[in-house]
Amino acid sequence: MAGRAQPVSPRPGIGAAALVAALILGTLAAVALRAETAGGFGPADWAALRFTLTQAILSAVFSAGLAVPVARALARRRFRGRRALIALLGAPFILPVIVAILGLLQVFGRAGWISDILGYFGLPPIRIYGLHGVVLAHVFFNLPLATRLILQAWQEIPAERFRLAAQLGCNGIAMFRLIELPMLKRILPGVLAVIFAICLTSFAVALTLGGGPRATTIELAIYQAFTYDFDLGRAALLSALQLTLTAVAALAALRFSRGDGFGAGLDRALRRWDGGAPAIDAFWIIAAATFLLLPLASVVISGFAGLFEMPAIVFRAALTSVIVAAASTAILLMLALPMATAVATGRYGIVELSGILGLAASPLVIGTGLFILIRPLANPTALALPVTALVNAVMALPFALRILVPAARDVVTRNGRLALSLDMGRKTFFIRVLLPRMHPQICFAAGLGAALSMGDLGVIALFADPQIATLPLQIYRLMGAYQMQAAAGGALLLLLLSMSVFWLLDRGGRWHAEA
Amino acid sequence: MKHLMIAAGLLSATSAIADDKPQLTVYTYDSFVSDWGPGPQVEEAFEAVCNCDLNLVGVEDGAALLSRIRLEGESSDADVVLGLDTNLITAAKDTGLFAPSSVTADYALPIEWADDVFTPYDWGYFAFVHNADTPAPANFRELADGDTKVIIQDPRSSTPGLGLLLWVKAAYGEEAQEIWAGLADNIVTVTKGWSEAYGLFLEGEADMVLSYTTSPAYHLIAEEDASKAAAAFDEGHYMQVEVAAKLAGTDQPELADQFLEFMVSDAFQQIIPTTNWMYPAVTPSSGLPEGFDTLIVPEKSLLFGADEAAAVREQALSEWLGALSQ
């Protein structure tokens, strides 16, 4: 096994992974070394850790659990508007946190739409604030991602397997047990780990929806340590705790998600013969769409008036954001493709682990660490945009890997032996076989990366220069200046831009998405 | 990354050659430098008199600003820091990074100002803002006994949040925890910062939001909307005094002094009310803008001295956490 020949070289991927690990751990070390006192945990930190873990686990379980029936329904059904719906489902994920909070509460809040309807029937408003509110918000953010990841795995099952199963007379239950369940077992641990890691670093969402200091997360403690206490040792220690928790979750996920794929297919159009229960599928699709699109509708409605009130500077910020997103996407693909390839050749779980750490790294720690590292060499403010693009790429890397790795693994196992027997060069295999076969996944990852970078405030606030601002930063500035309506307009502009970028990149590679 | 650094190095090098005027770097909070804040006008006004290049750098908020200065230490690029408040003064002085200044002015503050390092440039009172057509409680006890819903900010991540913490402590001392326990069922939620809280209030999520007595002036002057009011509390209102100081390590000490003098002059002070939406530290000769006369004026001003604020913060915070984490 150790000396087995591989059709592609894992070396560039290992290099990229080392680079990412160096960035995440290096910035953490920079912060720790700059500390004046050694940090320690207090009782409040343990309470924060308990709450952080509880909400992250619940959020991951509910997001992934609900995504399974939604993805199954979307995989089985073909209907008009399906493409648009799938693309729109990506939207919650890319909204800036503050916009998403306002949108969610416009629907689910005390004075929200649902409470209004309840009030019409003489019922009290819903109580959204508490642990359930935190989980609801995190499901709002992550259900779409989980659905897309699971849907993609569903669509990667060769159409021939379903044809064969139908020929053998499998009913819906048998088909689920024989084909779909093994697929879910392979994909779900990774999905759970990614969402767990995202929720681990939640701060503003958890605090606001949690209704008060009961909902204190580790990320809040890091923020407090950085700004109000200037206790860098404690910040570094807490950040290390987040990284460790994520690493444990990621390793567990990698361990449980082993298993063989479905082998090669002929890329035929998918046809399913187990057409039962359309009503159930319709229920899941409508329920998910309503849940996810209502808050988006509120963002659109409140933003519409502000769209025409925005000063020109907002449009300049939008252009800056597009440029940053383009750069960030390029960096993302340069890191993610070699890394996914390396993972696909086996034995490189450590590469995948280094990729997932980007999620758990506190943006504050990465930003401050980079600031400490860059300062002796150059003016950090002058580097605000390149640094933002780089950090956004590292933050999007875990998602890109979840999208790319299963596909890369399939290509290597299906086509690797043939390529070796043909004595095909490693570079040729990468360019002529791997890249074309992974086209849809690459486009999806690029679209997601670009949209994420567009919506993320990232580290720009730490490096900000009054003359340069991204759109999310400009939205925060408008809000800070009482201009809530113009800010809502900016949020709508951001939503439209992110969705367009996502749609443009992703549709290039949509697979089995025929309406 | 390497190429980017080289490129950025070249860029900053060329901009340095193009400009041979002395440069004064002022670190401040982000909303000061934003297009809607005082920054752009202040820059224009100061550059008109100083024959220099004023470089404003925005850092998130007052607390993050102090952290940035501590992070950069003695080698900081900043010549002046503008935007700390009285609650941060002690921590700032302890760093030893700030230099005394001789600036004095005829301050319009409701308290006596005597600090040899920090010079105030604006101030305000914290207050709960509500819709003018709904009645508001007259003090914290009445708020706690009633069912008015409020949104506040977290004292661990926001300056107004910390202000409220000290407000209750200054007004009630030993009884502060009891007040917080009473307020627990009035608090809809606690947000990370001011923007989330104010946005939620405008969406109708609560009856009142923690902000400033000057907030209604924004709605009145900028939006011609008189529907917002600040609730006057009879135990007094806690103040926020925003200050600036020169750094000891500055390479432009004269220019920094000139900026601090400029800061308390009419040219700077008249920009403040309608951009930072606070009271100017020195009333400009043109007076306050129309609309400011409609604001409530608290009968009693509360403010801990800098050292006292630093000393009570820890205990007040644990009382707050204890009362609201039940």
Side-chain angles (χ1 to χ4, degrees):
Chain A
M1 183 75 189
R4 199 179 80 185
Q6 292 292 353
V8 277
S9 168
R11 275 202 207 106
I14 297 169
L19 217 68
V20 172
L23 178 69
I24 293 167
L25 300 177
T27 48
L28 179 62
V31 171
L33 289 174
R34 182 68 182 72
E36 283 149 17
T37 48
F41 291 130
D45 294 323
W46 292 115
L49 174 63
R50 261 200 312 278
F51 177 77
T52 307
L53 280 177
T54 312
Q55 59 84 9
I57 291 171
L58 287 175
S59 303
V61 168
F62 276 99
S63 302
L66 291 170
V68 170
V70 178
R72 184 165 200 251
L74 284 171
R76 275 151 51 114
R77 303 293 154 201
R78 296 288 178 273
F79 53 89
R80 199 181 276 272
R82 179 175 175 273
R83 273 179 179 221
L85 180 66
I86 292 175
L88 266 178
L89 290 188
F93 198 62
I94 56 187
L95 285 176
V97 168
I98 193 166
V99 174
I101 291 177
L102 293 177
L104 263 177
L105 288 173
Q106 187 117 47
V107 176
F108 297 100
R110 283 181 69 243
W113 296 348
I114 295 180
S115 292
D116 283 351
I117 296 171
L118 289 175
Y120 190 73
F121 294 104
L123 296 165
I126 46 173
R127 297 176 61 99
I128 188 69
Y129 301 96
L131 179 60
H132 58 283
V134 179
V135 174
L136 178 110
H138 285 160
V139 170
F140 171 73
F141 283 113
N142 297 306
L143 176 65
L145 175 77
T147 305
R148 277 301 302 258
L149 287 174
I150 296 172
L151 179 62
Q152 185 190 305
W154 230 295
Q155 292 175 342
E156 278 161 11
I157 301 176
E160 289 78 11
R161 302 296 169 277
F162 287 107
R163 174 185 287 248
L164 182 64
Q167 219 158 17
L168 294 173
C170 288
N171 58 10
I173 294 168
M175 210 172 270
F176 181 75
R177 192 171 57 83
L178 292 171
I179 299 178
E180 299 174 320
L181 194 59
M183 178 278 293
L184 287 174
K185 274 189 188 158
R186 228 163 41 115
I187 185 92
L188 276 179
V191 174
L192 283 167
V194 168
I195 298 175
F196 172 79
I198 301 173
C199 299
L200 213 52
T201 52
S202 173
F203 165 9
V205 173
L207 183 67
T208 308
L209 273 298
R214 274 166 312 228
T216 295
T217 54
I218 302 176
E219 190 71 22
L220 191 160
I222 293 178
Y223 185 89
Q224 188 192 1
F226 259 117
T227 52
Y228 280 76
D229 303 332
F230 195 66
D231 188 344
L232 297 183
R234 214 170 87 87
L237 201 63
L238 289 164
S239 178
L241 178 66
Q242 279 181 335
L243 288 174
T244 312
L245 288 171
T246 304
V248 169
L251 287 175
L254 291 178
R255 206 184 148 78
F256 286 117
S257 61
R258 297 253 162 82
D260 291 328
F262 290 93
L266 297 173
D267 299 349
R268 282 201 186 112
L270 177 66
R271 210 176 137 198
R272 304 261 316 229
W273 285 267
D274 56 330
I280 294 177
D281 284 349
F283 165 79
W284 282 108
I285 291 171
I286 291 169
T290 311
F291 172 59
L292 297 170
L293 297 184
L294 273 183
L296 290 180
S298 95
V299 171
V300 173
I301 291 169
S302 39
F304 199 71
L307 207 50
F308 306 100
E309 273 183 28
M310 282 186 301
I313 190 168
V314 176
F315 294 98
R316 212 163 70 211
L319 184 66
T320 308
S321 275
V322 171
I323 294 167
V324 169
S328 176
T329 309
I331 300 171
L332 173 69
L333 290 182
M334 282 192 289
L335 292 171
L337 275 171
M339 283 172 78
T341 312
V343 175
T345 60
R347 300 179 288 132
Y348 294 108
I350 189 87
V351 170
E352 216 176 346
L353 181 64
S354 130
I356 212 168
L357 285 184
L359 275 184
S362 160
L364 212 55
V365 175
I366 292 202
T368 310
L370 275 174
F371 187 87
I372 296 172
L373 292 172
I374 292 174
R375 219 173 149 262
L377 306 171
N379 175 13
T381 313
L383 288 175
L385 295 183
V387 165
T388 304
L390 175 71
V391 173
N392 284 350
V394 171
M395 299 274 171
L397 187 58
F399 307 112
L401 284 182
R402 289 262 55 82
I403 295 163
L404 296 175
V405 163
R409 206 175 258 151
D410 277 355
V411 175
V412 170
T413 41
R414 284 179 201 178
N415 308 94
R417 270 173 303 181
L418 180 63
L420 284 173
S421 74
L422 290 173
D423 206 16
M424 188 186 271
R426 288 174 159 192
K427 207 184 260 173
T428 317
F429 181 81
F430 185 76
I431 294 169
R432 304 297 288 272
V433 181
L434 196 74
L435 288 187
R437 289 211 60 92
M438 286 175 64
H439 186 224
Q441 287 81 10
I442 293 171
C443 290
F444 177 28
L448 193 67
L452 268 178
S453 171
M454 199 92 89
D456 196 24
L457 184 61
V459 292
I460 186 116
L462 291 172
F463 292 76
D465 176 310
Q467 273 78 47
I468 306 171
T470 56
L471 190 47
L473 182 61
Q474 213 57 273
I475 293 172
Y476 275 83
R477 283 183 176 168
L478 277 166
M479 282 184 167
Y482 286 93
Q483 311 226 16
M484 301 292 171
Q485 193 159 37
L492 176 56
L493 176 66
L494 178 64
L495 185 66
L496 293 174
L497 272 178
S498 298
M499 288 312 297
S500 317
V501 165
F502 183 64
W503 176 260
L504 276 175
L505 287 170
D506 188 35
R507 75 174 285 161
R510 189 111 8 86
W511 190 30
H512 281 295
E514 62 278 3
Chain B
M1 195 63 212
K2 205 168 161 191
H3 295 294
L4 290 174
M5 265 184 212
I6 293 166
L10 287 174
L11 276 176
S12 49
T14 46
S15 66
I17 293 162
D19 250 343
D20 45 5
K21 283 182 193 170
Q23 199 182 48
L24 183 76
T25 301
V26 176
Y27 282 16
T28 181
Y29 42 76
D30 194 64
S31 66
F32 193 91
V33 302
S34 93
D35 259 45
W36 307 277
Q41 291 179 52
V42 164
E43 191 172 340
E44 198 183 329
F46 188 59
E47 284 178 352
V49 297
C50 73
N51 190 31
C52 71
D53 181 15
L54 177 63
N55 176 27
L56 290 170
V57 177
V59 182
E60 209 181 343
D61 68 354
L65 182 57
L66 180 57
S67 293
R68 167 65 61 84
I69 292 297
R70 293 171 81 167
L71 199 61
E72 295 188 357
E74 280 163 13
S75 68
S76 176
D77 297 330
D79 301 304
V80 170
V81 168
L82 179 150
L84 305 181
D85 69 9
T86 40
N87 300 327
L88 296 166
I89 284 183
T90 299
K93 279 188 178 166
D94 285 348
T95 64
L97 295 170
F98 293 90
S101 119
S102 55
V103 177
T104 52
D106 183 16
Y107 296 122
L109 296 167
I111 50 150
E112 198 62 40
W113 188 262
D115 193 294
D116 57 346
V117 176
F118 288 94
T119 309
Y121 64 91
D122 70 12
W123 63 280
Y125 292 107
F126 293 110
F128 286 98
V129 170
H130 62 101
N131 284 319
D133 54 2
T134 54
N139 51 51
F140 282 107
R141 284 194 195 280
E142 208 179 297
L143 173 59
D145 293 340
D147 53 8
T148 302
K149 298 289 184 191
V150 300
I151 294 178
I152 62 170
Q153 296 87 346
D154 197 310
R156 297 167 296 173
S157 59
S158 115
T159 331
L162 183 57
L164 176 63
L165 189 76
L166 296 173
W167 183 1
V168 174
K169 194 70 188 165
Y172 288 97
E174 296 292 300
E175 294 168 281
Q177 184 155 20
E178 178 197 322
I179 294 291
W180 279 116
L183 290 174
D185 61 349
N186 299 93
I187 295 171
V188 173
T189 190
V190 178
T191 63
K192 180 190 170 196
W194 179 88
S195 300
E196 289 96 333
Y198 210 80
L200 286 177
F201 163 70
L202 291 182
E203 277 187 5
E205 203 52 21
D207 307 313
M208 304 205 296
V209 63
L210 176 65
S211 190
Y212 297 89
T213 57
T214 40
S215 299
Y218 168 80
H219 297 284
L220 190 66
I221 296 170
E223 296 180 340
E224 293 173 10
D225 167 14
S227 69
K228 304 287 181 289
F233 275 22
D234 56 23
E235 55 271 80
H237 286 244
Y238 198 79
M239 289 172 62
Q240 181 172 40
V241 182
E242 297 195 292
V243 299
K246 177 173 74 171
L247 281 148
T250 172
D251 53 0
Q252 298 287 353
E254 286 88 31
L255 209 48
D257 284 333
Q258 193 191 342
F259 180 80
L260 292 177
E261 289 286 356
F262 169 79
M263 190 180 77
V264 291
S265 73
D266 270 14
F268 181 104
Q269 291 290 315
Q270 67 190 6
I271 298 170
I272 289 295
T274 53
T275 50
N276 228 25
W277 301 103
M278 296 282 271
Y279 287 106
V282 180
T283 310
S285 52
S286 53
L288 290 171
E290 204 180 326
F292 268 66
D293 52 327
T294 63
L295 303 177
I296 59 153
V297 180
E299 284 166 20
K300 206 173 140 196
S301 307
L302 305 172
L303 184 68
F304 283 118
D307 292 339
E308 225 180 333
V312 299
R313 192 195 132 207
E314 195 81 0
Q315 197 208 340
L317 189 57
S318 72
E319 288 170 359
W320 181 83
L321 282 171
L324 296 187
S325 298
Q326 301 302 314

